[in-house]
Amino acid sequence: AVIAPGGKVGATSPGGPNVVGIPRILSARLQTVALDRAQGRWRLDLDQLMDALTPDTKALFLNSPNNPTGWTLPAEDRAVILARCRDYGIWLIADDAQWCDQQSLQLLHDVLRQDRESPLLVVATARREDLGEAHSLHRLITGLKAIDRLVEISIGRLSRGATEQLVGELAGYQVDPAAIDDLYANTEGNPLFIVETVRAGWGSADS
């Protein structure tokens, strides 16, 4: 597994709920670097992020544009971050790649195309239904497939049994099967909806 119990994970904050939730579920150590707001604009302290990315860091969650601030990673910072991930063998994880700006996608294409020997692995997730026909991610996928630099994995919805297992891990106790049936019907097996529903207090004594 990329993220194991006790492993160190880096991320910028604020961020989406999964960025915080996934490391916690996996009992990993999460170190966040906060974006600063000055003169009406968000910015990242690159030196602070570099200090956080140490040799024991297993993964870095980094989205550009950032959710929810809309901050985008400056071009001059992208190569620095990629170099650190490459040098230390850090997995770079981009969630919701359908929202990535064109410059970030182009940089990923250039790095993965030109540097075949360095131990850099980029993991990106995207929802196909949110991709327009002209989205830059289509060109990135096509280009990386052409040079055999892409492995694409389609992730479907969870089964009822997998939903019960996930809920049990999140809640820490066995949940009534009838309640699982209702949750599965309401979420249609969408993992994000399941996690957010449980985290919001579903199934607790006061819900």
Side-chain angles (χ1 to χ4, degrees):
V2 178
I3 304 174
K8 180 182 175 183
V9 179
T12 56
S13 65
N18 285 343
V19 173
V20 176
I22 291 174
R24 285 180 177 173
I25 292 172
L26 298 175
S27 300
R29 296 179 291 121
L30 177 65
Q31 182 171 355
T32 60
V33 176
L35 299 174
D36 296 324
R37 186 171 177 83
Q39 299 179 343
R41 301 186 63 181
W42 292 93
R43 60 176 295 275
L44 170 69
D45 187 328
L46 184 61
D47 291 336
Q48 187 177 357
L49 179 62
M50 290 297 100
D51 290 340
L53 298 179
T54 53
D56 62 334
T57 304
K58 302 302 181 183
L60 169 65
F61 285 91
L62 184 64
N63 289 355
S64 176
N66 169 263
N67 178 19
T69 67
W71 163 84
T72 57
L73 184 64
E76 59 271 19
D77 293 350
R78 294 172 189 148
V80 177
I81 295 172
L82 284 171
R84 175 58 59 88
C85 291
R86 182 171 54 238
D87 291 344
Y88 288 167
I90 299 171
W91 288 54
L92 179 60
I93 302 176
D95 189 24
D96 286 337
Q98 69 272 11
W99 305 126
C100 278
D101 58 296
Q102 183 174 352
Q103 291 79 10
S104 295
L105 293 175
Q106 184 62 50
L107 177 64
L108 289 177
H109 178 271
D110 293 343
V111 170
L112 293 172
R113 183 183 183 88
Q114 296 173 8
D115 194 346
R116 291 173 172 264
E117 302 302 326
S118 296
L120 175 65
L121 177 63
V122 178
V123 180
T125 63
R127 294 191 297 270
R128 287 282 190 176
E129 59 269 26
D130 290 333
L131 293 177
E133 293 183 0
H135 198 287
S136 300
L137 187 57
H138 289 303
R139 294 193 294 273
L140 175 62
I141 292 173
T142 300
L144 294 179
K145 280 184 175 179
I147 58 174
D148 196 26
R149 300 287 284 169
L150 176 74
V151 175
E152 190 171 9
I153 302 174
S154 297
I155 301 177
R157 297 178 183 272
L158 298 182
S159 65
R160 193 269 182 204
T163 298
E164 183 173 18
Q165 180 180 353
L166 176 59
V167 170
E169 293 174 355
L170 292 171
Y173 56 86
Q174 185 173 359
V175 179
D176 180 72
I180 296 293
D181 290 338
D182 290 340
L183 178 64
Y184 181 64
N186 291 330
T187 62
E188 298 181 340
N190 185 305
L192 175 61
F193 295 164
I194 294 169
V195 170
E196 290 304 299
T197 301
V198 175
R199 289 177 57 196
W202 174 90
S204 64
D206 297 330
S207 63

